[in-house]
Amino acid sequence: MSEPLERIAAALERLAPAPLAAPDFTTADAFVWQTGPDALMPVEKVNYIALDLLVGINRARDTLLLNTRQFANGFAANNALLWGSRGMGKSSLVKAIHAELLREGASLKIVELQREDLPSVGRLLALLRDAPERFLLYCDDLSFSHDDQHYKSLKAVLDGGIEGRPENVLLYATSNRRHLMPRDMIENERSNAINPGEAVEEKVSLSDRFGLWLGFHPCDQDDYLAMIDGYCAAAGLSVDPDVLRAEAIEWQATRGSRSGRVAWQFFCDLAGRHGHAI
């Protein structure tokens, strides 16, 4: 081969590198998918809250735990969309259930996929398809704007195209929006469309492809206080109940909301003021 042709061949190889080899999945239970270049990065320690500390979401917890256990045991299971109020434990539940299944002895890996990397999901599935392990593909805070085409890539996971979704891969996604796009955007596109019924059908119907829809709603004061009591008990932090209640209510009043996230933030402040490490 002449020197110019060799240079052209080398340039083409750089533009189209060889497919990424599958990593050794036995090195970790959790991975983060990165692109540019493609890589599955192992996570040594997952940041999670124990399952029994997630209060006020019992139905969603039990449903998702059963679905995940079925999948981990090699049985049929559904992709799941966890939608609803911010700070109510959607992402915490996914991580807590993964940790619980590991505690039970299941061989289950979790792979976090960023929304921005959805166009690369086909390459990720190619790596996971032939692996002997089973994988939860986890996409947090999923939503789409009116000109966003990333949702088309998500169909590769939900529908699988001609190959079908890998039998050893299940998708769990969280979103503040039930239909993955703002309601005002839905109404706007319908009002401006020639055929309003078809204007947003492709995007809205994407959420229908999830077999499980699990809703998360704002908690009441009793659940909010129960969350804090659970955190204190788990950490061995003893505080006068009346003082704890008054301070917790004052904290949520200054934040203007009650949620699991607000309860955790109050507990972090409380533990710090009492010289207690979490």
Side-chain angles (χ1 to χ4, degrees), residues 220-243:
D220 58 25
Q221 183 166 286
D222 288 342
D223 282 339
Y224 168 73
L225 295 173
M227 293 173 189
I228 295 170
D229 288 340
Y231 295 147
C232 290
L237 180 58
S238 179
V239 182
D240 180 85
D242 292 335
V243 173

Side-chain angles (χ1 to χ4, degrees), residues 75-98:
F75 303 128
N78 277 305
N79 298 310
L81 175 63
L82 288 67
W83 67 274
S85 300
R86 66 186 188 274
M88 278 306 299
K90 299 183 293 293
S91 59
S92 295
L93 181 59
V94 174
K95 292 182 289 186
I97 283 180
H98 175 246

Side-chain angles (χ1 to χ4, degrees), residues 49 51 53-57 60-61 64 82-97 138 140 174 176 216-217 227 231 259-262:
I49 294 175
L51 190 61
L53 292 180
L54 297 176
V55 175
I57 54 172
R61 177 200 64 202
L64 196 65
L82 288 67
W83 67 274
S85 300
R86 66 186 188 274
M88 278 306 299
K90 299 183 293 293
S91 59
S92 295
L93 181 59
V94 174
K95 292 182 289 186
I97 283 180
Y138 163 56
D140 192 25
T174 72
N176 293 335
F216 290 70
H217 309 289
M227 293 173 189
Y231 295 147
S259 69
R261 180 176 296 135
V262 172

Side-chain angles (χ1 to χ4, degrees), residues 198-268:
E198 296 178 356
V200 292
E201 181 66 21
E202 188 174 24
K203 289 180 182 176
V204 170
S205 66
L206 181 64
S207 60
D208 293 337
R209 290 176 165 86
F210 288 91
L212 285 181
W213 279 16
L214 300 175
F216 290 70
H217 309 289
C219 63
D220 58 25
Q221 183 166 286
D222 288 342
D223 282 339
Y224 168 73
L225 295 173
M227 293 173 189
I228 295 170
D229 288 340
Y231 295 147
C232 290
L237 180 58
S238 179
V239 182
D240 180 85
D242 292 335
V243 173
L244 180 64
R245 177 185 175 87
E247 291 184 352
I249 292 175
E250 180 183 5
W251 181 276
Q252 63 89 18
T254 62
R255 296 297 301 270
S257 65
R258 284 190 298 263
S259 69
R261 180 176 296 135
V262 172
W264 177 255
Q265 290 167 344
F266 168 74
F267 171 69
C268 290

Side-chain angles (χ1 to χ4, degrees), residues 32-267:
V32 174
W33 173 247
Q34 297 181 353
T35 59
D38 290 351
L40 272 167
M41 307 300 295
V43 178
E44 293 184 7
K45 184 178 180 181
V46 177
N47 179 30
Y48 73 92
I49 294 175
L51 190 61
D52 59 0
L53 292 180
L54 297 176
V55 175
I57 54 172
N58 294 358
R59 181 181 178 277
R61 177 200 64 202
D62 295 344
T63 302
L64 196 65
L65 179 59
L66 177 60
N67 190 69
T68 312
R69 188 179 284 126
Q70 289 172 189
F71 174 69
N73 290 332
F75 303 128
N78 277 305
N79 298 310
L81 175 63
L82 288 67
W83 67 274
S85 300
R86 66 186 188 274
M88 278 306 299
K90 299 183 293 293
S91 59
S92 295
L93 181 59
V94 174
K95 292 182 289 186
I97 283 180
H98 175 246
E100 177 67 16
L101 267 294
L102 292 180
R103 191 189 64 79
E104 293 179 4
S107 178
L108 181 65
K109 311 295 180 180
I110 188 168
V111 178
E112 185 173 12
L113 170 69
Q114 301 296 327
R115 192 199 71 86
E116 295 78 14
D117 294 328
L118 280 173
S120 70
V121 72
R123 302 196 300 272
L124 173 57
L125 293 181
L127 287 177
L128 305 181
R129 184 180 296 273
D130 296 327
E133 294 84 2
R134 302 184 75 75
F135 299 91
L136 283 180
L137 194 56
Y138 163 56
C139 188
D140 192 25
D141 198 19
L142 184 63
S143 63
F144 302 102
S145 59
H146 71 282
D147 58 348
D148 195 336
Q149 300 299 308
H150 286 5
Y151 73 94
K152 294 182 178 180
S153 302
L154 190 57
K155 291 181 179 179
V157 188
L158 298 173
D159 290 340
I162 193 170
E163 282 188 295
R165 173 172 56 85
E167 181 273 337
N168 64 333
V169 176
L170 200 64
L171 174 67
Y172 286 176
T174 72
S175 178
N176 293 335
R177 300 161 179 165
R178 185 174 64 172
H179 290 297
L180 304 178
M181 58 189 300
R183 180 175 294 276
D184 59 348
M185 190 177 297
I186 294 175
E187 298 303 327
N188 182 61
E189 291 197 19
R190 280 178 176 156
S191 64
N192 293 329
I194 295 175
N195 188 333
E198 296 178 356
V200 292
E201 181 66 21
E202 188 174 24
K203 289 180 182 176
V204 170
S205 66
L206 181 64
S207 60
D208 293 337
R209 290 176 165 86
F210 288 91
L212 285 181
W213 279 16
L214 300 175
F216 290 70
H217 309 289
C219 63
D220 58 25
Q221 183 166 286
D222 288 342
D223 282 339
Y224 168 73
L225 295 173
M227 293 173 189
I228 295 170
D229 288 340
Y231 295 147
C232 290
L237 180 58
S238 179
V239 182
D240 180 85
D242 292 335
V243 173
L244 180 64
R245 177 185 175 87
E247 291 184 352
I249 292 175
E250 180 183 5
W251 181 276
Q252 63 89 18
T254 62
R255 296 297 301 270
S257 65
R258 284 190 298 263
S259 69
R261 180 176 296 135
V262 172
W264 177 255
Q265 290 167 344
F266 168 74
F267 171 69

